[in-house]
Amino acid sequence: MRSIWKGAVSFGLVNIPVKLYAATQNKSVSFHQLHRQCFTPIRYLKQCPHCQTEVPQEEIVRGYEYESGRFVVIEEADLAELPLPTTKTIEIMDFINLEEIDPIYFEKSYYLEPAEGAQKPYALLRLAMQQSGKAAVAKVALRHRESLCALRVFGKALALATMHYADEIRPVAQLEGIAEEPVLSGAEKEMALRLIENLTAAFEPEKYTDQYRTALLELIRNKASGKQIHEAPAIAPAAGKVVDLMAALEASIKATAEQKKKKAAPRSAPKRRTAVAAGAISTNGKAK
């Protein structure tokens, strides 16, 4: 892997030089846009409508529109001079319990690797966090912004997850559909709990796969190899109807209970096979 950032974790008076790596990769299938007439990839030109000319990259600057049609130009030198102590430092501010952070705050995950000669303080911080059961809230400057982040132990490494600030989370009260609490019967609540119990399992991330991506890649392979693609016939949408909640819960509980029994059923031991070489077996079990 190639590091995307180099700096240090600031831990009290201790600085631990580290490298930052992306912990995830996007495997979504990407497409080019082509001209249908000749299948040539489409080009997107950066043009100035005032000068009516294509603008090269070196002539493009950042601008913040503070009023309609009026901009403040921000140069690279301006950004470099910003008084950010976190430009080359992951500054730990607090240690907290990780479960206190709601997942809605998390953005993107990274791995931290100790730089040359920093293995010992890195291991010390990781061990201390592991034994205390704590995670760290920190700040780091990435991609021209100061990001809030959480550091935690992940296997033998430290992982960093960038986070949203509190004022970036939209209030759930803005959802009009949850303003009034519906009346639920005791039977409905009990059946919902039974359904959850039937579907409860240990988290195994490997068993969840992107079926759409798999089907899309298969479609691409078939098209590339010239195979005939068969389309499923269109099915008319069913007329809308009110769902019988109790009936749906009962059917779901029955189906999931059967699935749970199948998973829990012990497998029968395979029958032993006896190999006979050049002869028959007598009644006392010895070869003739």
Side-chain angles (χ1 to χ4, degrees):
M1 292 190 291
R2 184 172 63 88
S3 64
I4 60 174
W5 182 91
K6 294 180 182 180
V9 175
S10 176
F11 172 42
L13 298 178
V14 178
N15 279 344
I16 307 171
V18 293
K19 300 176 184 178
L20 190 74
Y21 298 85
T24 60
Q25 56 181 329
N26 187 351
K27 290 194 172 183
S28 298
V29 179
S30 59
F31 295 98
H32 292 278
Q33 291 189 321
L34 311 177
H35 182 201
R36 183 179 290 277
Q37 300 299 323
C38 61
F39 304 115
T40 301
I42 300 299
R43 288 179 57 199
Y44 290 92
L45 305 179
K46 296 180 179 180
Q47 291 184 321
C48 173
H50 174 74
C51 299
Q52 296 185 348
T53 182
E54 184 177 351
V55 182
Q57 184 61 40
E58 59 269 18
E59 294 183 14
I60 298 176
V61 295
R62 292 185 183 87
Y64 179 81
E65 189 173 15
Y66 67 96
E67 290 179 2
S68 180
R70 305 190 70 182
F71 299 87
V72 172
V73 174
I74 303 296
E75 304 286 358
E76 286 291 340
D78 298 324
L79 296 174
E81 293 177 1
L82 286 176
L84 281 179
T86 57
T87 51
K88 288 296 180 183
T89 305
I90 299 170
E91 182 184 359
I92 293 178
M93 298 179 294
D94 297 299
F95 286 95
I96 49 93
N97 296 318
L98 186 62
E99 57 269 20
E100 294 179 42
I101 305 176
D102 191 281
I104 199 170
Y105 284 92
F106 293 125
E107 286 186 308
K108 186 172 174 58
S109 295
Y110 300 88
Y111 292 136
L112 287 176
E113 177 188 54
E116 187 67 30
Q119 285 81 1
K120 187 172 182 177
Y122 178 95
L124 177 62
L125 175 59
R126 186 196 69 223
L127 181 64
M129 290 176 64
Q130 188 172 33
Q131 291 187 353
S132 65
K134 300 295 183 181
V137 176
K139 282 187 176 182
V140 61
L142 293 173
R143 298 184 177 90
H144 301 297
R145 65 164 295 188
E146 187 176 53
S147 294
L148 190 66
C149 61
L151 269 68
R152 64 187 180 91
V153 176
F154 189 81
K156 295 179 65 176
L158 289 174
L160 179 150
T162 53
M163 297 168 57
H164 293 286
Y165 286 97
D167 61 359
E168 295 177 321
I169 306 298
R170 291 177 174 174
V172 71
Q174 292 180 357
L175 301 176
E176 297 179 359
I178 62 171
E180 295 183 8
E181 193 73 18
V183 177
L184 299 171
S185 69
E188 288 171 334
K189 290 185 281 188
E190 182 182 351
M191 294 184 75
L193 289 171
R194 285 175 57 193
L195 179 56
I196 290 174
E197 183 181 354
N198 285 350
L199 291 171
T200 298
F203 178 56
E204 300 174 9
E206 296 80 9
K207 77 177 184 181
Y208 306 105
T209 58
D210 188 342
Q211 295 178 332
Y212 177 80
R213 186 182 71 199
T214 301
L216 181 56
L217 290 173
E218 182 66 21
L219 171 66
I220 292 170
R221 282 192 291 268
N222 288 340
K223 285 250 183 182
S225 61
K227 293 182 180 179
Q228 180 66 38
I229 306 300
H230 299 281
E231 295 185 0
I235 300 175
K241 59 180 180 180
V242 178
V243 176
D244 186 333
L245 183 58
M246 288 294 289
L249 285 170
E250 287 177 359
S252 298
I253 289 172
K254 183 178 179 181
T256 53
E258 291 175 355
Q259 292 175 2
K260 199 170 185 179
K261 285 181 181 178
K262 289 179 181 179
K263 290 181 180 179
R267 295 181 180 178
S268 57
K271 295 181 179 179
R272 296 180 61 186
R273 294 183 179 179
T274 305
V276 180
I281 300 294
S282 66
T283 54
N284 61 7
K286 296 181 181 180
K288 292 182 180 179

